[in-house]
Amino acid sequence: SGVWIMAYTTIDDPSAYFHVQLYTGDGNDNRVITNDANAGDFKPDLLWLKNRTDVGRPCIWDSSRLSSGEATIKLTTDIADAEANATDRFSGFETDGFTITGSDDDTNVDGDAYVAWQWKANGGTTATNSDGNSANNSVTQVSSTAKFSIITFENGDEGTGTTFGHGLGEKPGFSLIKNRDISQSWYAHWPIKGGANQSTALDGTGAFGTVSGFAGFNASTITQGQGDDDNYVCYEWANVQGFSKFGIYTGNGVANGPVVYTGFRPAFIIIKCTSGTGQWLMFDNKRNENNPTTSWLAAEVNTAETADSNKDIDILSMGFKARDTGGDMNDNGGTYVYAAFAQSPFVTSTGVPTTAV
């Protein structure tokens, strides 16, 4: 038991910075997907897209790489592969959405259902960041309000590693990092909870452990311990009261699972076991509008959406509740990390309670 403090938020409408969009594929070229975000026009800077109906890789595009003329270069979270050309899948971001091309399984099969998780950073505008000691400065695109940063850098210190700036102004709560040049697993961290050198692959199911790759997270920089001269992209988020929360909980092994307090009604939740193997479970408020939330996807596989009563959660006005008794989210004594982004804060900036469940 404990006291829940109804603290105010700085973001009254989270849909100005994060949005979940559902659509159905039609197989046509140059298909514009228009967002229906409550806050109005939503031009994303980071797009994470997944086929719900059938096999299709979970694909990522971002406006920092787009701004450097690489609109068609995708990354996928289910495999360790380097960037790949995907002219038959995606062609760019629009004022209120994005454009997909062709009829590939990943993005636009006729009749298939899709989900697009999207974040705003700084509208594609980047800046050089010289906070680190790299021979090549990092390039950052930062939302100071939503505390989200897209970082690209080339490690110019082959054999010694490097330190580079992330631009958030505080220690990240959730971090995804990928080598763009070679086949190398994603690094996933919860630096404020799991320790700077604790990580596991986003494209795998392994437990968290000590890594020799990225570590040394602080309020301005990240240390890259691998000695290479490759190009990387990093997605970094910090906790924002009422909008985003990155934390840890302990499972109890019963269907009446733990309630995880976030301070808002989540729109999107990622859960991963750190003490053992487990899938990267992904839930959102659009694919299941009512509790229990049974439809889940996993970041590390290309399989279709699954409705599984053994992986249920309840999405609540101030967080979420695990309903599964298995190892992926609620083993007795198991340790779990989560990333959550808001649909609505529990209390607005003026002290008014919002969504109740």
Side-chain angles (χ1 to χ4, degrees):
S1 63
V3 176
W4 288 353
I5 300 174
M6 294 186 295
Y8 297 163
T9 182
T10 57
I11 300 175
D12 285 331
D13 189 349
S15 73
Y17 298 95
F18 174 76
H19 179 61
V20 181
Q21 184 67 41
L22 305 182
Y23 70 92
T24 302
D26 65 6
N28 294 323
D29 281 336
N30 299 317
R31 166 92 182 279
V32 176
I33 303 300
T34 302
N35 285 319
D36 59 6
N38 180 67
D41 288 353
F42 191 100
K43 183 178 182 179
D45 291 302
L46 173 62
L47 168 65
W48 194 349
L49 193 154
K50 180 67 181 75
N51 188 325
R52 302 168 55 196
T53 303
D54 205 343
V55 170
R57 298 202 181 282
C59 298
I60 284 183
W61 291 271
D62 66 73
S63 63
S64 288
R65 292 179 297 144
L66 169 64
S67 66
S68 61
E70 300 172 11
T72 64
I73 303 298
K74 71 176 176 69
L75 289 165
T76 54
T77 62
D78 65 316
I79 52 177
D81 288 7
E83 287 179 330
N85 200 328
T87 55
D88 59 344
R89 292 168 176 82
F90 175 84
S91 63
F93 297 112
E94 308 298 337
T95 302
D96 191 17
F98 54 93
T99 298
I100 50 179
T101 60
S103 58
D104 190 87
D105 289 336
D106 293 345
T107 54
N108 197 29
V109 169
D110 188 19
D112 279 6
Y114 292 84
V115 59
W117 304 294
Q118 303 166 74
W119 292 261
K120 278 189 182 180
N122 194 35
T125 300
T126 61
T128 299
N129 185 300
S130 58
D131 288 341
N133 65 3
S134 173
N136 300 305
N137 293 327
S138 61
V139 176
T140 59
Q141 183 189 167
V142 183
S143 169
S144 58
T145 302
K147 294 294 181 182
F148 168 49
S149 180
I150 302 172
I151 307 114
T152 56
F153 79 95
E154 179 183 359
N155 183 9
D157 300 321
E158 185 171 4
T160 62
T162 188
T163 297
F164 62 94
H166 55 67
L168 287 176
E170 59 186 270
K171 191 173 183 177
F174 178 43
S175 169
L176 297 175
I177 303 175
K178 181 69 180 73
N179 189 318
R180 300 164 59 186
D181 293 341
I182 65 171
S183 180
Q184 184 181 84
S185 285
W186 289 77
Y187 288 91
H189 296 81
W190 270 256
I192 62 171
K193 292 291 183 181
N197 66 345
Q198 296 296 299
S199 178
T200 192
L202 181 64
D203 48 291
T205 60
F208 275 53
T210 301
V211 296
S212 60
F214 290 84
F217 294 84
N218 63 35
S220 59
T221 64
I222 302 169
T223 297
Q224 200 276 79
Q226 290 189 337
D228 60 45
D229 58 356
D230 294 338
N231 289 284
Y232 288 83
V233 63
C234 316
Y235 307 117
E236 307 291 325
W237 293 266
N239 283 322
V240 177
Q241 192 166 269
F243 171 72
S244 57
K245 183 73 171 178
F246 314 104
I248 190 167
Y249 70 89
T250 302
N252 63 13
V254 298
N256 185 21
V259 173
V260 179
Y261 174 73
T262 61
F264 52 81
R265 176 177 173 80
F268 180 48
I269 302 165
I270 302 173
I271 298 172
K272 176 68 177 75
C273 181
T274 66
S275 55
T277 60
Q279 293 196 273
W280 289 88
L281 300 180
M282 306 165 82
F283 303 90
D284 63 64
N285 64 330
K286 293 292 185 69
R287 291 177 294 131
N288 276 123
E289 294 183 339
N290 300 305
N291 290 322
T293 300
T294 60
S295 297
W296 57 273
L297 290 161
E300 83 287 351
V301 293
N302 67 351
T303 52
E305 181 178 276
T306 301
D308 186 344
S309 61
N310 291 321
K311 291 184 174 66
D312 291 357
I313 65 169
D314 287 341
I315 296 179
L316 309 172
S317 61
M318 69 328 187
F320 63 94
K321 181 181 180 67
R323 292 291 190 182
D324 171 36
T325 59
D328 284 336
M329 75 163 65
N330 192 25
D331 196 23
N332 187 28
T335 303
Y336 299 86
V337 288
Y338 66 89
F341 298 89
Q343 172 186 328
S344 57
F346 192 36
V347 178
T348 70
S349 61
T350 58
V352 178
T354 57
T355 307
V357 174

